[in-house]
Amino acid sequence: MGRYVPNTKEEQLKMLNEIGYKDFDDLFSVIPDSVRLKDLDLPAGKSELEVSRIISEMAAKNKQYKAIYRGAGAYDHYIPSIVKQITSKEEFVTAYTPYQAEISQGVLQSIFEYQTAICQLTGMDVSNASVYDGGTAAAEACAMCKDRKHSTVYVSETTDPKVVSVIKTYCFGSNTEVKMVPAKNGLTDMDEAAKMMTEGAACLYIQQPNYYGQIEDAHKAADVAHNIGAKLIMGVNPVSLAIMETPREAGADIAVGEGQPLGLPIAFGGPYIGFMACVSDMMRKIPGRIVGETTDDAGNRAFVLTLQAREQHIRREKSSSNICSNEALCAMTVSVYLAAVGRDGLETVANACASKAHYLQKELEKIGLKKKFDGEFFHEFVTTSSAPADKILAALDNKGILGGLKLSDNEILWCATEKNTKASMDEVVATVKEVCA
Amino acid sequence: MKLIYEIGEEGRKLDLFPELDVEKYELKANKRNVELHLPHVSEQELSRHFTNLAKRTHGVNDGFYPLGSCTMKYNPKIDEEMAVLPGFTNVHPLAPVESVEGCLEVMETLQERLCKIAGMDAMTLQPAAGAHGEFTGLLLIKAYHESRNDKARTKIIVPDSAHGTNPASAVMAGFEVINIPSDDKGCVDLDGLRNAVGPDTAGLMLTNPNTVGVFDKNILEITKIVHEAGGLCYYDGANLNAVMGQCRPGDMGFDVLHINLHKTFATPHGGGGPGSGPVGCKEFLAKFLPGFTAVKSANGFDKKYADNTIGNLRTMAGNFLVMVKALTYITTLGKEGIKEASSNAVLNANYMRVKLSKTYHMAYPVTCMHEFVMTLEEEHKNINVSAMDIAKSMLDYGIHPPTMYFPLIVHEALMVEPTETETKEEMDHVINVLKEIHEKAEKDPEYVRSAPHTTVINRPDEVGAARNPIVAFKF
């Protein structure tokens, strides 16, 4: 049996006796007999070597692809070595939420640096210390926009359906009405949005680039929302922000998104990180931890958790959200990643994503996979083909390549990142060509 | 210390990416027009910057961390090693089911073992933290009442000793919160509960042992009162470390619970996250579970979606790598180890409680479970030394203070949770330190009031920080 209790059985008994208990049964005598567990139905404990074997065998059952062309919310980017090394430091890994500022300046400063990076990327004034993922960030952002006069949430149909589902689930909780704004040729139908949104509108949520990779007219979305007194929330891909206009420039009030592309492995869905940033007017509505800069008694620079009057441990049922634990170590990961790549590196990644996706799209078009939508795209695009999507993806799978995501019988959502080489993309095209022939 | 934005020079960088091997694509519109300020540092500077930050951070590995209600136990290394296996980290969450058998096996095994430990029938691993789990569990309760067309059940009963997340989660789930007072032992006042329940009761949220570390021996009566009124019982699993292997929430009358993998099952807290907050429930609630659960199939494993699902609490399956760590831990401990852990968590807490009770006032001088609460009310009154002052003094000894000023029903509270992974010597040392601080407080209260004296900063100006918030570096 593996164990992490250091005290020996003899020591344990001695301690028990020293404080007046006969044995462990005596210590636990307060638990009523009727609920005392006779036998916990679990396998016996195991040595580290056995455990290592068991868990490693599970990992080995997963297929590892040599190349990935699937995104749809989880993006396969290169993670620099330094990112993994730094974020494995035991001090960072094993600390709790930095309640005691005097011995937590390291974690607090790292979150402040993260908040700064998110403000830089999005153009916003205020960022929180993170929420669970991009979906929860979107849902929390919708809640920020609600007040007595503004209660209906509008969400574009071009949003990732997984994010829509999270928004709807949160809104089921708060009894909030969610209305879907239809899409037209792969983009949010802004005219329809303007018609649909009425006095009680709290916000309009759009994704940029949207689920199909298409670049939305965010300025128009901002006008539509603001004309009716609602807020614009933009869900953005953080890598794209190196070259694309910031949500702030487009007129958004809140920017949120999935931070996974910034140094976190795809890892079957998590841990990921939701980032949230807003204009200063909404600072006191943003949920979760926020780190602020201050000084100590001696005038030294110091960092603390701040604006805590918003939070559950102070406000209880009147707090802006119930969030307590967030994704702090993932925030540090994002921070280290952005410091490692820098502005030029992030631009390189963003340009490589866009360039490779456009190369792949053109090459696929040559062999008959048509682009479904005409608008400009970033690093994802949808194709329609005469050959069934299943057949195309199976052929790629046989070559050890994870193809795009099947959207319907003949439609595939593709993604390319800096990790995909020209040689690999040529192999994709050659493989698909065989299927289509 | 300087920020990463204040060191380095324009032009310094890491060489990470190859030349572009296809034609460069230029965006036609929607280009960024504002400058992007990110750090410009060499790898060496980056490494040293974060090493300096690490030196200014106190983790469980740096020393004793008795932060009550947070279960800061030792985080085993094998758990970390398993969670970075490429076979796990390189898996796309939307990859075909037959290519993710290993991930589904991790999930299915963990779900089953957590059900056994909690006494539940079904488990979702989707929630990302404890509070997220609370929200999920409450949505299950809401969906249940709505499915029966029982629309009058709009109230959730929460004891005044509860974690702040409980009432906050209840409001997010659309419920009204009814706070009920605790009795003089910190337990649920049965008459108060009887008066509070009725046809509008959706449920009760409770943790047992409660937030003062006492096991509520009326637990079966409590859950019965709620059930007889037509409500459901929610168990806040924050304190599961005290009772795992000893008794099960499912056997105490609870219908739904969340578990904090980052507390009870030793996955680290990472400075505030990522955590994981699986939610378990009895069979009659399973049809409402969110996301997918992993199930055994003829050929291996499969994903199963519930018929009347409440939806999704987040995108994807959950904090998967945290699940790997928890499964590694549970596999290591096994049936005896789980019980040994809770036994020693309770032993260590009582050892410290008894040894300290001659010096400090215990809020509830009875056998505690995994944690106990001291009150500095008298010291505060008599010598103007607060719980905060004692806590800050501990920092000078390299000890992380207990949780301060919680639960709210105890004045000047310090809540101590040593966990099972501390040695007797370490606890004896901390007991002596706490006695020494108390002595100092009596002899030289100003010294204690102005602590800490040896940390990289002394007490920060929190009021100023909130009044004039600086939440990002200005370039």
Side-chain angles (χ1 to χ4, degrees):
Chain A
M1 172 184 93
R3 63 205 294 273
Y4 303 102
V5 171
N7 296 326
T8 63
K9 297 271 181 224
E10 293 73 30
E11 284 174 301
Q12 293 169 23
L13 190 62
K14 227 171 124 189
M15 285 165 68
L16 277 165
N17 295 340
E18 201 178 327
I19 56 170
Y21 297 92
K22 203 161 72 192
D23 50 25
F24 279 114
D25 278 342
D26 190 17
L27 183 65
F28 280 89
S29 61
V30 61
I31 300 181
D33 278 344
S34 58
V35 297
R36 285 296 290 272
L37 189 61
K38 304 290 177 293
D39 181 48
L40 176 60
D41 182 18
L42 286 188
K46 296 192 170 51
S47 67
E48 186 172 307
L49 174 57
E50 290 168 295
V51 173
S52 171
R53 242 180 233 145
I54 291 168
I55 306 293
S56 300
E57 276 169 20
M58 290 185 191
K61 285 182 192 168
N62 293 322
K63 179 164 182 173
Q64 284 200 61
Y65 293 94
K66 64 183 182 189
I68 295 178
Y69 291 90
R70 193 167 293 191
Y75 300 97
D76 183 35
H77 290 285
Y78 179 69
I79 302 172
S81 295
I82 186 91
V83 174
K84 290 170 260 185
Q85 293 292 328
I86 286 177
T87 54
S88 305
K89 285 181 187 289
E90 288 183 333
E91 294 88 343
F92 298 143
V93 172
T94 68
Y96 194 69
T97 302
Y99 292 131
Q100 296 290 342
E102 296 87 343
I103 54 166
S104 309
Q105 285 299 295
V107 166
L108 287 162
Q109 182 171 330
S110 88
I111 296 171
F112 185 83
E113 292 175 354
Y114 162 82
Q115 290 172 184
T116 302
I118 295 300
C119 288
Q120 279 298 311
L121 283 174
T122 58
M124 293 292 174
D125 306 311
V126 183
S127 156
N128 69 8
S130 76
V131 294
Y132 313 128
D133 75 340
T136 53
E140 291 275 15
C142 294
M144 280 171 72
C145 300
K146 281 176 55 188
D147 59 32
R148 275 190 200 140
K149 288 185 180 159
H150 303 88
S151 56
T152 308
V153 168
Y154 292 81
V155 180
S156 168
E157 257 177 18
T158 63
T159 303
D160 180 346
K162 296 183 290 299
V163 173
V164 175
S165 175
V166 179
I167 293 174
K168 285 185 171 170
T169 305
Y170 271 63
C171 287
F172 162 63
S174 58
N175 303 317
T176 303
E177 190 181 5
V178 180
K179 289 187 175 166
M180 298 304 295
V181 176
K184 198 170 156 187
N185 194 21
L187 292 167
T188 309
D189 188 338
M190 296 296 175
D191 295 335
E192 195 55 34
K195 268 188 233 157
M196 286 173 74
M197 290 177 73
T198 49
E199 283 294 305
C203 59
L204 171 62
Y205 183 96
I206 65 162
Q207 182 175 321
Q208 179 81 310
N210 71 24
Y211 184 59
Y212 309 112
Q214 297 279 300
I215 297 175
E216 296 272 0
D217 186 349
H219 291 268
K220 187 83 186 284
D223 289 344
V224 168
H226 293 156
N227 282 344
I228 198 77
K231 307 287 186 194
L232 175 67
I233 307 168
M234 285 177 68
V236 286
N237 180 316
V239 169
S240 75
L241 294 177
I243 57 172
M244 285 184 60
E245 69 177 359
T246 64
R248 182 59 166 277
E249 287 173 278
D253 303 280
I254 307 174
V256 297
E258 177 53 70
Q260 175 274 325
L262 303 176
L264 291 159
I266 46 181
F268 201 56
Y272 290 176
I273 176 175
F275 61 85
M276 295 187 77
C278 65
V279 293
S280 54
D281 291 354
M282 300 189 82
M283 178 165 69
R284 282 167 210 276
K285 295 195 109 183
I286 201 168
R289 313 277 188 216
I290 297 177
V291 171
E293 185 179 339
T294 184
T295 52
D296 71 358
D297 294 348
N300 298 307
R301 177 187 251 176
F303 298 95
V304 291
L305 293 174
T306 194
L307 301 170
Q308 296 192 66
R310 303 161 295 118
E311 293 189 68
Q312 48 78 25
H313 60 288
I314 310 282
R315 294 268 285 173
R316 299 176 75 84
E317 60 265 35
K318 295 189 182 70
S319 58
S320 54
S321 166
N322 70 342
I323 189 165
C324 183
S325 285
N326 50 32
E327 305 288 303
L329 194 61
C330 303
M332 182 182 285
T333 307
V334 165
S335 201
V336 180
Y337 175 85
L338 289 172
V341 300
R343 178 200 59 211
D344 295 349
L346 196 67
E347 266 180 39
T348 302
V349 172
N351 280 320
C353 286
S355 303
K356 286 168 191 260
H358 282 81
Y359 175 80
L360 180 64
Q361 185 274 318
K362 272 184 207 148
E363 294 300 310
L364 287 173
E365 181 125 38
K366 284 181 197 163
I367 57 165
L369 269 64
K370 291 198 185 70
K371 205 164 53 158
K372 189 176 180 200
F373 304 117
D374 318 324
E376 188 167 32
F377 62 93
F378 172 57
H379 74 335
E380 290 183 278
F381 58 93
V382 180
T383 59
T384 56
S385 56
S386 48
D390 283 334
K391 224 173 143 191
I392 292 172
L393 296 174
L396 289 170
D397 204 292
N398 284 336
K399 296 255 169 84
I401 296 168
L402 181 64
L405 184 73
K406 177 183 161 186
L407 292 186
S408 71
D409 288 348
N410 295 82
E411 292 176 340
I412 297 175
L413 173 62
W414 301 87
C415 175
T417 73
E418 78 284 1
K419 279 179 80 175
N420 303 124
T421 60
K422 179 174 178 295
S424 168
M425 290 189 282
D426 290 342
E427 188 185 0
V428 169
V429 174
T431 308
V432 176
K433 193 176 175 184
E434 276 175 39
V435 177
C436 294
Chain B
M1 191 180 145
K2 283 185 173 174
L3 295 170
I4 188 116
Y5 303 98
E6 296 169 320
I7 61 172
E9 275 297 330
E10 181 74 43
R12 286 191 196 157
K13 59 175 188 168
L14 283 70
D15 193 5
L16 297 168
F17 305 105
E19 291 289 315
L20 198 55
D21 56 1
V22 296
E23 191 191 341
K24 188 179 174 199
Y25 179 80
E26 283 281 352
L27 278 182
K28 295 186 187 74
N30 304 93
K31 285 188 198 175
R32 184 178 178 114
N33 290 314
V34 290
E35 209 178 331
L36 173 61
H37 295 282
L38 288 178
H40 28 62
V41 290
S42 60
E43 183 166 324
Q44 175 266 99
E45 291 168 284
L46 178 56
S47 175
R48 280 192 191 155
H49 177 76
F50 278 94
T51 299
N52 281 331
L53 291 183
K55 285 180 188 160
R56 294 168 151 244
T57 301
H58 181 100
V60 172
N61 278 45
D62 295 283
F64 197 52
Y65 212 127
L67 192 63
S69 199
C70 300
T71 314
M72 298 299 287
K73 59 171 78 176
Y74 175 72
N75 309 122
K77 299 301 156 207
I78 181 76
D79 302 4
E80 298 298 314
E81 193 171 304
M82 293 299 102
V84 296
L85 289 172
F88 291 134
T89 57
N90 292 342
V91 179
H92 196 283
L94 305 174
V97 156
E98 58 276 12
S99 74
V100 298
E101 288 278 306
C103 291
L104 294 176
E105 185 175 4
V106 166
M107 291 180 69
E108 198 275 338
T109 313
L110 183 60
Q111 285 163 203
E112 195 205 330
R113 293 191 183 166
L114 292 177
C115 278
K116 294 271 169 61
I117 290 167
M120 293 290 166
D121 301 316
M123 186 77 55
T124 171
L125 303 175
Q126 194 178 49
H132 206 207
E134 291 176 18
F135 180 48
T136 308
L138 289 163
L139 290 184
L140 297 181
I141 292 175
K142 181 171 182 157
Y144 167 76
H145 291 309
E146 284 195 1
S147 75
R148 293 157 47 91
N149 215 13
D150 197 350
K151 299 240 158 101
R153 298 197 177 271
T154 55
K155 291 176 182 166
I156 290 284
I157 299 168
V158 178
D160 57 2
S161 61
H163 297 116
T165 48
N166 288 182
S169 300
V171 168
M172 276 179 77
F175 292 111
E176 190 187 327
V177 176
I178 304 294
N179 285 295
I180 55 164
S182 305
D183 67 12
D184 57 359
K185 293 188 189 67
C187 293
V188 173
D189 182 271
L190 289 180
D191 287 332
L193 178 62
R194 283 193 193 98
N195 290 335
V197 297
D200 57 358
T201 301
L204 165 77
M205 291 184 90
L206 194 67
T207 177
N208 193 27
N210 60 24
T211 59
V212 298
V214 174
F215 190 95
D216 201 321
K217 60 181 192 307
N218 295 323
I219 190 63
L220 293 171
E221 185 62 24
I222 291 167
T223 51
K224 194 173 153 206
I225 291 170
V226 177
H227 282 154
E228 282 178 358
L232 300 185
C233 295
Y234 181 93
Y235 181 89
D236 176 341
N239 296 344
L240 190 63
N241 202 48
V243 293
M244 60 174 181
Q246 314 282 351
C247 62
R248 311 191 303 174
D251 299 337
M252 294 191 265
F254 289 96
D255 306 292
V256 51
L257 93 168
H258 82 264
I259 295 170
N260 299 75
L261 296 186
H262 48 291
K263 293 181 180 176
T264 315
F265 297 103
T267 74
H269 289 72
S276 177
V279 168
C281 66
K282 291 291 175 67
E283 188 57 44
F284 72 99
L285 292 172
K287 63 181 174 204
F288 303 114
L289 285 175
F292 68 86
T293 45
V295 291
K296 284 193 174 116
S297 68
N299 310 321
F301 295 90
D302 206 349
K303 297 177 182 175
K304 185 184 159 201
Y305 296 85
D307 294 338
N308 302 91
T309 178
I310 52 170
N312 283 283
L313 268 299
R314 50 162 294 164
T315 64
M316 316 297 182
N319 281 347
F320 177 73
L321 298 179
V322 180
M323 300 174 205
V324 173
K325 295 180 195 185
L327 179 63
T328 305
Y329 179 76
I330 293 172
T331 308
T332 303
L333 262 56
K335 60 166 24 165
E336 324 88 325
I338 294 282
K339 190 171 177 183
E340 187 191 35
S342 58
S343 296
N344 280 274
V346 173
L347 169 58
N348 287 357
N350 277 287
Y351 182 79
M352 289 193 71
R353 176 184 63 82
V354 171
K355 296 262 167 169
L356 282 169
S357 57
K358 287 195 191 88
T359 315
Y360 288 86
H361 295 277
M362 295 298 148
Y364 303 94
V366 293
T367 297
C368 66
M369 297 304 279
H370 64 308
E371 64 193 5
F372 60 93
V373 180
M374 312 195 292
T375 168
L376 278 293
E377 201 174 2
E378 274 187 36
E379 287 84 347
H380 192 221
K381 221 180 287 165
N382 299 339
I383 52 173
N384 195 23
V385 168
S386 65
M388 165 91 85
D389 299 330
I390 301 289
K392 295 297 178 192
S393 296
M394 294 174 77
L395 299 174
D396 284 328
Y397 295 85
I399 301 164
H400 194 289
T403 295
M404 310 183 299
Y405 300 96
F406 184 82
L408 306 180
I409 57 171
V410 177
H411 297 294
E412 295 294 326
L414 286 179
M415 181 196 236
V416 185
E417 181 182 8
T419 84
E420 72 275 16
T421 58
E422 293 301 326
T423 62
K424 178 176 175 297
E425 304 89 274
E426 182 65 21
M427 289 189 289
D428 285 338
H429 166 66
V430 175
I431 290 162
N432 286 334
V433 165
L434 277 164
K435 286 180 178 171
E436 194 177 306
I437 292 172
H438 202 274
E439 238 177 81
K440 262 191 201 160
E442 284 164 345
K443 284 185 191 146
D444 184 3
E446 186 46 40
Y447 186 80
V448 173
R449 281 196 289 268
S450 56
H453 302 280
T454 60
T455 43
V456 292
I457 58 160
N458 56 40
R459 294 191 200 187
D461 178 10
E462 295 190 7
V463 176
R467 194 172 295 151
N468 302 305
I470 304 169
V471 296
F473 180 65
K474 294 274 178 288
F475 292 88

